[in-house]
Amino acid sequence: MEKTQEKIVNSPICNSNACYESEFTTAEGPVKTWLCMTSGYTSNTTMTLNSEGLKQTLELTADLIKDLRQDHEPPGGGEVLAWFPTVITMPEKGMIFPEPIKGTNDWQWTCVKAIPILEEEQNKYPDPKNPGTFYKNKMDMKNPYKFDKLCFMDAAEELGMFQKQPS
């Protein structure tokens, strides 16, 4: 897969000017992806409403994320696509995910940080994808950070996704 183009466009979810568009060339042809850094919603050109990609996504996705789905034309126009809140997992840093707000019909972004697992405790956390190895970090679910549903970028900053590269 080769990245061919990147730019910032207006989001069809919240109309912010902070939607990151990337284009990749795959064996099947070009694919565009979008991630709105305000709302946290994402989509790509394989997510047309009757596509196999959307059917597979719906089979594997949590109910809350399916319930929050929105259908919109992509930036610049084109066939309507399904858009979903993203889930970011960075094993060394943490996670960002949508979470219902208890007692309401609303939701928010939750950010949890990765914390080290003591070496003597790591055997309690086997890595199922790599038999014989163990996780070195776990998610600190006891100390979540909460953000409004239009503050995805704040959650991403809290997680450390935008740290400057050393020069």
Short mmCIF file of all heavy atoms in Angstrom, two decimals, residues 24-60:
data_model
loop_
_atom_site.label_atom_id
_atom_site.label_comp_id
_atom_site.label_asym_id
_atom_site.label_seq_id
_atom_site.Cartn_x
_atom_site.Cartn_y
_atom_site.Cartn_z
N PHE A 24 -4.58 6.31 -0.50
CA PHE A 24 -3.63 5.22 -0.62
C PHE A 24 -3.89 4.49 -1.93
O PHE A 24 -5.02 4.43 -2.39
CB PHE A 24 -3.81 4.20 0.52
CG PHE A 24 -3.59 4.78 1.88
CD1 PHE A 24 -4.62 5.37 2.58
CD2 PHE A 24 -2.34 4.72 2.46
CE1 PHE A 24 -4.41 5.91 3.85
CE2 PHE A 24 -2.12 5.24 3.73
CZ PHE A 24 -3.16 5.84 4.42
N THR A 25 -2.86 3.93 -2.49
CA THR A 25 -3.02 3.05 -3.64
C THR A 25 -2.82 1.62 -3.14
O THR A 25 -1.79 1.30 -2.55
CB THR A 25 -2.00 3.38 -4.74
OG1 THR A 25 -2.20 4.75 -5.13
CG2 THR A 25 -2.21 2.49 -5.95
N THR A 26 -3.83 0.79 -3.33
CA THR A 26 -3.77 -0.62 -2.93
C THR A 26 -3.79 -1.48 -4.20
O THR A 26 -3.97 -0.97 -5.30
CB THR A 26 -4.98 -0.99 -2.05
OG1 THR A 26 -6.17 -0.92 -2.85
CG2 THR A 26 -5.11 -0.05 -0.85
N ALA A 27 -3.67 -2.77 -4.01
CA ALA A 27 -3.75 -3.69 -5.15
C ALA A 27 -5.10 -3.59 -5.85
O ALA A 27 -5.21 -3.81 -7.05
CB ALA A 27 -3.49 -5.13 -4.68
N GLU A 28 -6.14 -3.22 -5.10
CA GLU A 28 -7.49 -3.09 -5.66
C GLU A 28 -7.75 -1.71 -6.25
O GLU A 28 -8.79 -1.46 -6.82
CB GLU A 28 -8.56 -3.39 -4.59
CG GLU A 28 -8.60 -4.84 -4.13
CD GLU A 28 -7.51 -5.14 -3.10
OE1 GLU A 28 -7.15 -4.25 -2.29
OE2 GLU A 28 -7.00 -6.27 -3.12
N GLY A 29 -6.81 -0.77 -6.05
CA GLY A 29 -6.98 0.58 -6.57
C GLY A 29 -6.89 1.61 -5.47
O GLY A 29 -6.58 1.29 -4.32
N PRO A 30 -7.19 2.87 -5.79
CA PRO A 30 -7.07 3.94 -4.79
C PRO A 30 -8.17 3.86 -3.73
O PRO A 30 -9.31 3.50 -4.03
CB PRO A 30 -7.19 5.22 -5.61
CG PRO A 30 -7.86 4.83 -6.87
CD PRO A 30 -7.57 3.38 -7.10
N VAL A 31 -7.81 4.19 -2.49
CA VAL A 31 -8.75 4.26 -1.37
C VAL A 31 -8.50 5.57 -0.64
O VAL A 31 -7.36 5.89 -0.31
CB VAL A 31 -8.55 3.07 -0.39
CG1 VAL A 31 -9.45 3.23 0.85
CG2 VAL A 31 -8.82 1.74 -1.06
N LYS A 32 -9.57 6.33 -0.39
CA LYS A 32 -9.47 7.54 0.41
C LYS A 32 -10.00 7.23 1.80
O LYS A 32 -10.99 6.50 1.96
CB LYS A 32 -10.30 8.68 -0.19
CG LYS A 32 -9.61 9.39 -1.31
CD LYS A 32 -10.40 10.62 -1.72
CE LYS A 32 -9.72 11.33 -2.86
NZ LYS A 32 -10.49 12.49 -3.31
N THR A 33 -9.34 7.80 2.83
CA THR A 33 -9.80 7.67 4.20
C THR A 33 -9.93 9.06 4.80
O THR A 33 -9.25 10.00 4.37
CB THR A 33 -8.80 6.85 5.06
OG1 THR A 33 -7.56 7.57 5.14
CG2 THR A 33 -8.55 5.47 4.47
N TRP A 34 -10.82 9.17 5.78
CA TRP A 34 -11.01 10.44 6.48
C TRP A 34 -11.07 10.18 7.97
O TRP A 34 -11.64 9.18 8.42
CB TRP A 34 -12.32 11.11 6.06
CG TRP A 34 -12.37 11.52 4.63
CD1 TRP A 34 -11.95 12.71 4.10
CD2 TRP A 34 -12.84 10.74 3.53
NE1 TRP A 34 -12.15 12.71 2.74
CE2 TRP A 34 -12.69 11.50 2.37
CE3 TRP A 34 -13.37 9.45 3.41
CZ2 TRP A 34 -13.05 11.06 1.11
CZ3 TRP A 34 -13.73 8.99 2.17
CH2 TRP A 34 -13.57 9.80 1.02
N LEU A 35 -10.50 11.10 8.75
CA LEU A 35 -10.63 11.10 10.20
C LEU A 35 -10.86 12.55 10.61
O LEU A 35 -9.97 13.40 10.44
CB LEU A 35 -9.39 10.55 10.90
CG LEU A 35 -9.39 10.66 12.43
CD1 LEU A 35 -10.58 9.92 13.04
CD2 LEU A 35 -8.08 10.13 13.01
N CYS A 36 -12.05 12.83 11.14
CA CYS A 36 -12.37 14.17 11.63
C CYS A 36 -11.76 14.30 13.02
O CYS A 36 -12.12 13.55 13.94
CB CYS A 36 -13.88 14.38 11.69
SG CYS A 36 -14.33 15.96 12.45
N MET A 37 -10.84 15.24 13.17
CA MET A 37 -10.16 15.41 14.44
C MET A 37 -11.00 16.18 15.46
O MET A 37 -10.63 16.27 16.62
CB MET A 37 -8.81 16.12 14.22
CG MET A 37 -7.84 15.30 13.39
SD MET A 37 -7.52 13.63 14.05
CE MET A 37 -6.68 14.03 15.57
N THR A 38 -12.15 16.70 15.05
CA THR A 38 -13.08 17.34 15.98
C THR A 38 -14.05 16.32 16.55
O THR A 38 -14.18 16.16 17.76
CB THR A 38 -13.84 18.49 15.29
OG1 THR A 38 -12.90 19.43 14.80
CG2 THR A 38 -14.81 19.17 16.25
N SER A 39 -14.73 15.57 15.66
CA SER A 39 -15.75 14.61 16.10
C SER A 39 -15.19 13.22 16.35
O SER A 39 -15.81 12.42 17.04
CB SER A 39 -16.86 14.52 15.06
OG SER A 39 -16.38 13.89 13.88
N GLY A 40 -14.04 12.90 15.75
CA GLY A 40 -13.47 11.55 15.89
C GLY A 40 -14.10 10.54 14.95
O GLY A 40 -13.78 9.35 15.02
N TYR A 41 -14.97 10.97 14.06
CA TYR A 41 -15.59 10.05 13.11
C TYR A 41 -14.63 9.75 11.97
O TYR A 41 -13.83 10.60 11.57
CB TYR A 41 -16.89 10.64 12.56
CG TYR A 41 -18.10 10.32 13.41
CD1 TYR A 41 -18.31 10.96 14.62
CD2 TYR A 41 -19.04 9.38 13.00
CE1 TYR A 41 -19.43 10.67 15.40
CE2 TYR A 41 -20.16 9.08 13.76
CZ TYR A 41 -20.35 9.74 14.96
OH TYR A 41 -21.45 9.44 15.72
N THR A 42 -14.75 8.55 11.43
CA THR A 42 -13.90 8.11 10.35
C THR A 42 -14.71 7.35 9.31
O THR A 42 -15.75 6.77 9.62
CB THR A 42 -12.74 7.24 10.89
OG1 THR A 42 -11.83 6.95 9.84
CG2 THR A 42 -13.25 5.95 11.50
N SER A 43 -14.21 7.36 8.08
CA SER A 43 -14.79 6.56 7.00
C SER A 43 -13.73 6.38 5.92
O SER A 43 -12.65 6.95 6.00
CB SER A 43 -16.04 7.23 6.41
OG SER A 43 -16.70 6.31 5.53
N ASN A 44 -14.08 5.59 4.93
CA ASN A 44 -13.21 5.43 3.76
C ASN A 44 -14.08 5.03 2.58
O ASN A 44 -15.25 4.69 2.74
CB ASN A 44 -12.07 4.43 4.02
CG ASN A 44 -12.58 3.04 4.24
OD1 ASN A 44 -13.13 2.42 3.33
ND2 ASN A 44 -12.39 2.50 5.44
N THR A 45 -13.50 5.08 1.40
CA THR A 45 -14.28 4.85 0.18
C THR A 45 -14.78 3.42 0.03
O THR A 45 -15.58 3.16 -0.86
CB THR A 45 -13.48 5.27 -1.07
OG1 THR A 45 -12.18 4.66 -1.02
CG2 THR A 45 -13.34 6.78 -1.16
N THR A 46 -14.37 2.51 0.88
CA THR A 46 -14.91 1.15 0.83
C THR A 46 -16.19 1.02 1.65
O THR A 46 -16.80 -0.05 1.67
CB THR A 46 -13.89 0.10 1.33
OG1 THR A 46 -13.71 0.26 2.74
CG2 THR A 46 -12.57 0.22 0.60
N MET A 47 -16.61 2.09 2.34
CA MET A 47 -17.75 2.02 3.26
C MET A 47 -19.05 2.51 2.63
O MET A 47 -19.90 3.10 3.29
CB MET A 47 -17.44 2.83 4.53
CG MET A 47 -16.23 2.32 5.28
SD MET A 47 -16.42 0.64 5.85
CE MET A 47 -17.43 0.94 7.27
N THR A 48 -19.24 2.25 1.33
CA THR A 48 -20.50 2.60 0.68
C THR A 48 -21.62 1.78 1.32
O THR A 48 -21.38 0.71 1.90
CB THR A 48 -20.44 2.37 -0.83
OG1 THR A 48 -20.07 1.01 -1.08
CG2 THR A 48 -19.43 3.31 -1.49
N LEU A 49 -22.85 2.27 1.20
CA LEU A 49 -23.94 1.72 2.00
C LEU A 49 -24.29 0.27 1.72
O LEU A 49 -24.82 -0.40 2.59
CB LEU A 49 -25.18 2.62 1.87
CG LEU A 49 -24.95 4.07 2.33
CD1 LEU A 49 -26.26 4.83 2.32
CD2 LEU A 49 -24.30 4.14 3.70
N ASN A 50 -24.00 -0.25 0.55
CA ASN A 50 -24.31 -1.65 0.27
C ASN A 50 -23.04 -2.49 0.07
O ASN A 50 -23.09 -3.57 -0.52
CB ASN A 50 -25.20 -1.76 -0.97
CG ASN A 50 -26.58 -1.17 -0.72
OD1 ASN A 50 -27.18 -1.43 0.32
ND2 ASN A 50 -27.06 -0.36 -1.64
N SER A 51 -21.92 -2.02 0.59
CA SER A 51 -20.65 -2.68 0.33
C SER A 51 -20.38 -3.85 1.27
O SER A 51 -20.91 -3.93 2.38
CB SER A 51 -19.50 -1.68 0.46
OG SER A 51 -19.34 -1.29 1.81
N GLU A 52 -19.52 -4.74 0.81
CA GLU A 52 -19.06 -5.85 1.62
C GLU A 52 -18.25 -5.33 2.82
O GLU A 52 -18.33 -5.86 3.91
CB GLU A 52 -18.22 -6.82 0.78
CG GLU A 52 -17.91 -8.12 1.46
CD GLU A 52 -19.14 -8.91 1.91
OE1 GLU A 52 -20.17 -8.92 1.21
OE2 GLU A 52 -19.05 -9.53 2.99
N GLY A 53 -17.47 -4.27 2.59
CA GLY A 53 -16.68 -3.67 3.68
C GLY A 53 -17.56 -3.19 4.82
O GLY A 53 -17.24 -3.41 5.99
N LEU A 54 -18.69 -2.56 4.50
CA LEU A 54 -19.61 -2.10 5.54
C LEU A 54 -20.25 -3.29 6.24
O LEU A 54 -20.36 -3.30 7.47
CB LEU A 54 -20.68 -1.17 4.96
CG LEU A 54 -21.72 -0.67 5.97
CD1 LEU A 54 -21.08 0.05 7.14
CD2 LEU A 54 -22.73 0.23 5.26
N LYS A 55 -20.66 -4.30 5.49
CA LYS A 55 -21.26 -5.50 6.11
C LYS A 55 -20.29 -6.13 7.11
O LYS A 55 -20.68 -6.49 8.22
CB LYS A 55 -21.66 -6.52 5.05
CG LYS A 55 -22.85 -6.11 4.24
CD LYS A 55 -23.16 -7.11 3.14
CE LYS A 55 -24.17 -6.53 2.17
NZ LYS A 55 -24.16 -7.20 0.89
N GLN A 56 -19.01 -6.26 6.74
CA GLN A 56 -18.01 -6.84 7.63
C GLN A 56 -17.80 -5.96 8.87
O GLN A 56 -17.69 -6.46 9.99
CB GLN A 56 -16.69 -7.04 6.90
CG GLN A 56 -16.73 -8.14 5.88
CD GLN A 56 -15.43 -8.23 5.09
OE1 GLN A 56 -14.48 -7.52 5.33
NE2 GLN A 56 -15.41 -9.14 4.12
N THR A 57 -17.75 -4.64 8.66
CA THR A 57 -17.58 -3.72 9.79
C THR A 57 -18.74 -3.88 10.77
O THR A 57 -18.52 -3.94 11.99
CB THR A 57 -17.49 -2.27 9.28
OG1 THR A 57 -16.32 -2.16 8.47
CG2 THR A 57 -17.43 -1.28 10.42
N LEU A 58 -19.96 -3.95 10.26
CA LEU A 58 -21.13 -4.07 11.14
C LEU A 58 -21.12 -5.39 11.93
O LEU A 58 -21.57 -5.43 13.07
CB LEU A 58 -22.42 -3.92 10.34
CG LEU A 58 -22.64 -2.52 9.77
CD1 LEU A 58 -23.85 -2.51 8.83
CD2 LEU A 58 -22.80 -1.49 10.88
N GLU A 59 -20.57 -6.45 11.34
CA GLU A 59 -20.50 -7.73 12.05
C GLU A 59 -19.50 -7.69 13.20
O GLU A 59 -19.68 -8.38 14.20
CB GLU A 59 -20.09 -8.85 11.07
CG GLU A 59 -21.17 -9.24 10.11
CD GLU A 59 -20.70 -10.27 9.08
OE1 GLU A 59 -19.63 -10.88 9.28
OE2 GLU A 59 -21.41 -10.45 8.07
N LEU A 60 -18.45 -6.89 13.07
CA LEU A 60 -17.35 -6.90 14.03
C LEU A 60 -17.34 -5.71 14.99
O LEU A 60 -16.46 -5.61 15.83
CB LEU A 60 -16.01 -6.91 13.27
CG LEU A 60 -15.80 -8.08 12.31
CD1 LEU A 60 -14.54 -7.87 11.48
CD2 LEU A 60 -15.72 -9.39 13.09
#
